[in-house]
Amino acid sequence: MNEILITGARVIDLRFPTSRDHIGSDAVNKDPDYSAAYCILETNSALEGHGLTFTLGRGTDLVVQALEYLTRYVVNRPLAELTSDLRAFGRQLTDDTQFRWLGPEKGVIHLATGALINAVWDLYAKAESKPLWQLLADMEPEQLLTAVDFRYIDDALSPQEALDILKRANNTGKPARLAKLQQSGYPAYTTSVGWFGYSEEKIRRLCKEALAEGWTHFKLKVGGDQEEDLRRGRIVREEIGWSNKLMVDANQKWGVEEAIRRTRHLAPIDPWWMEEPTSPDDILGHARIRREAAPTRIATGEHVQNRIIFKQLLQAQAIDVLQLDSCRVAGVNENLAILLLAAKFNIPVCPHAGGVGLCEYVQHLSAFDFLSVSASLEDRVIEFVDHLHEHFLDPVVIRNGHYQLPTAPGYSIQIKPESLTRFAYPNGEAWTEPWNESQGESRSNA
């Protein structure tokens, strides 16, 4: 194949009006319009690289502007130049001497960085004719580590320790683990039954439907009235029984002391974990909640801004479950570092998903983690939310509560051209035509 040259980049403000049907609602985010800053890398070949960062509507334009700025670091460059030293490429994006002031490595700038790095990895996987999980799993450990930035985390995870983790996983049962994924898939949990704005009738119906489809792990949004949270939790328990797992998610609603009280109050419904009980930046707060709300496990990660915060959460023994996000941090590069940190501290990774494309993304990261890093499925599930998948060329496939391994080359994130046109903000038809309620609902959210 001739050398692939990135010849241009397009960035789209993509928004789905999910707030009109309360999809994605929780105690804090009551009116989310699931959205994305979406990037397309054009090349001198038939291939394109696609990447996105998930947002909730207002503010997506800011991420789009940051992403447009960052694309100057890829246009007119050969793909091989970027992939030969992915760590150096990542640092070009995070170390721009003036732009870095707006971070560093956090917020709007980091969200944009994640979209662009993921687009490069998508193009890389397509060029190699492999799904991303396989591209990663087929790499030699030394090659993988050239994408990992150990700056600021080498006090907790040295390059040699990371290399040892990868070599151990590669040398022990990797073919059998791949066969298991190909046969059964990766275990998942559903959040679609328990959005904050759903009625009791709807929760019961969705629980029944999910059980019939083979789901065994369910999540409920909490953070409203204390007794109402418990009542809704009992409704889910009545439907799913006590042999299935129930998780609860407060979406950062509480301060530390209230989080402890509220987590204890929910003990009668036996939560498998309490998610985002307080600010994602409060490392010591999480540590205290974990100590004083035991035995309920504490989970967080979807709003953790970089590998450095994850490092400290692990060092402080502040979490029981690490919920990485595919594009909150700097894309595949930084998620490799986070997976290795979690393996070093023996904490299970249960990625945040849902949104726009997050399910499509994280299935690759979890499959790679099982094959080449943690080598374990113990206490590990990927979040699944059943909406917006119809807009993707290679959407996730769920069978019996398990993600099936993607087989198409790339990162599974490419959105259909007609969807990019229809839901572009503010001039797409979805935003200029009168709203029809059925436009925003999938089967399980109806």
Side-chain angles (χ1 to χ4, degrees), residues 8 123 130 142 168 171 204 223 242 244 310 380 437:
L123 181 59
K130 297 177 180 181
E142 293 83 359
R168 184 165 58 249
N171 294 333
R204 289 189 185 278
W242 294 91
N244 292 316
F310 274 118
R380 295 164 194 268
E437 189 170 318

Side-chain angles (χ1 to χ4, degrees), residues 102-180:
L102 304 181
E105 298 188 63
K106 61 173 73 77
V108 165
I109 309 306
H110 218 43
L111 289 169
T113 301
L116 185 56
I117 287 177
N118 285 344
V120 169
W121 277 97
D122 178 63
L123 181 59
Y124 185 12
K126 288 173 179 173
E128 296 294 325
S129 299
K130 297 177 180 181
L132 181 85
W133 67 263
Q134 185 181 359
L135 173 68
L136 293 171
D138 286 349
M139 287 183 178
E140 292 297 324
E142 293 83 359
Q143 184 184 6
L144 268 170
L145 291 184
T146 63
V148 177
D149 191 347
F150 286 94
R151 181 177 54 175
Y152 306 138
I153 64 169
D154 56 2
D155 57 316
L157 176 73
S158 70
Q160 184 60 53
E161 288 174 314
L163 184 62
D164 291 344
I165 289 168
L166 293 171
K167 285 185 172 180
R168 184 165 58 249
N170 275 1
N171 294 333
T172 53
K174 189 173 180 179
R177 293 195 297 277
L178 176 57
K180 182 177 179 65

Side-chain angles (χ1 to χ4, degrees), residues 13 50-51 54 68 74 125 180 187 227 231-234 249 274 309 314 319 333 360 369 372 396-397 417 428 442:
D13 185 335
H50 291 246
F54 173 56
E68 288 173 339
V74 299
K180 182 177 179 65
E227 296 305 322
R231 186 187 75 85
R232 292 170 63 249
R234 292 187 190 278
D249 183 359
M274 166 61 77
I309 302 296
L314 294 166
I319 54 173
N333 286 26
E360 279 71 20
D369 178 58
S372 298
V396 294
V397 176
S442 68

Side-chain angles (χ1 to χ4, degrees), residues 60-305:
T60 305
D61 52 333
L62 302 179
V63 187
V64 164
Q65 291 176 56
L67 184 50
E68 288 173 339
Y69 174 87
L70 290 173
T71 58
R72 68 185 62 195
Y73 288 105
V74 299
V75 175
N76 295 323
R77 294 182 67 181
L79 175 64
E81 181 183 308
L82 305 179
T83 59
S84 65
D85 193 342
L86 282 156
R87 181 190 302 152
F89 168 57
R91 281 200 178 183
Q92 277 191 306
L93 304 182
T94 60
D95 282 4
D96 180 306
T97 55
Q98 294 183 7
F99 209 52
R100 185 179 188 274
W101 184 262
L102 304 181
E105 298 188 63
K106 61 173 73 77
V108 165
I109 309 306
H110 218 43
L111 289 169
T113 301
L116 185 56
I117 287 177
N118 285 344
V120 169
W121 277 97
D122 178 63
L123 181 59
Y124 185 12
K126 288 173 179 173
E128 296 294 325
S129 299
K130 297 177 180 181
L132 181 85
W133 67 263
Q134 185 181 359
L135 173 68
L136 293 171
D138 286 349
M139 287 183 178
E140 292 297 324
E142 293 83 359
Q143 184 184 6
L144 268 170
L145 291 184
T146 63
V148 177
D149 191 347
F150 286 94
R151 181 177 54 175
Y152 306 138
I153 64 169
D154 56 2
D155 57 316
L157 176 73
S158 70
Q160 184 60 53
E161 288 174 314
L163 184 62
D164 291 344
I165 289 168
L166 293 171
K167 285 185 172 180
R168 184 165 58 249
N170 275 1
N171 294 333
T172 53
K174 189 173 180 179
R177 293 195 297 277
L178 176 57
K180 182 177 179 65
L181 286 182
Q182 291 171 327
Q183 179 179 1
S184 304
Y186 199 103
Y189 72 88
T190 177
T191 302
S192 294
V193 303
W195 293 116
F196 201 71
Y198 285 0
S199 66
E200 175 179 341
E201 178 185 7
K202 191 167 187 176
I203 290 172
R204 289 189 185 278
R205 174 172 60 81
L206 293 175
C207 284
K208 288 182 172 70
E209 292 176 0
L211 285 168
E213 294 170 356
W215 292 97
T216 58
H217 294 67
F218 302 78
K219 192 164 80 179
L220 177 72
K221 296 292 185 175
V222 297
D225 175 79
Q226 178 171 278
E227 296 305 322
E228 178 64 9
D229 281 350
L230 186 57
R231 186 187 75 85
R232 292 170 63 249
R234 292 187 190 278
I235 289 169
V236 177
R237 272 290 177 214
E238 288 171 9
E239 296 298 334
I240 71 171
W242 294 91
S243 59
N244 292 316
K245 301 292 188 186
L246 172 61
M247 299 85 88
V248 292
D249 183 359
N251 289 97
Q252 314 162 35
K253 178 70 173 179
W254 305 312
V256 171
E257 293 184 345
E258 185 176 8
I260 294 166
R261 292 195 302 271
R262 296 293 293 268
T263 303
R264 289 172 174 171
H265 190 74
L266 290 168
I269 61 172
D270 188 25
W272 198 41
W273 73 55
M274 166 61 77
E275 182 173 335
E276 283 203 311
T278 193
S279 166
D281 297 333
D282 191 350
I283 297 158
L284 297 182
H286 274 86
R288 182 181 169 193
I289 295 167
R290 181 174 180 262
R291 289 193 305 269
E292 298 186 23
T296 300
R297 301 188 307 156
I298 301 302
T300 201
E302 70 182 82
H303 280 84
V304 172
Q305 52 200 315

Side-chain angles (χ1 to χ4, degrees), residues 414-428:
Q414 187 165 343
I415 288 180
K416 297 174 181 177
E418 57 269 28
S419 295
L420 291 175
T421 299
R422 179 169 181 78
F423 293 94
Y425 185 86
N427 297 318

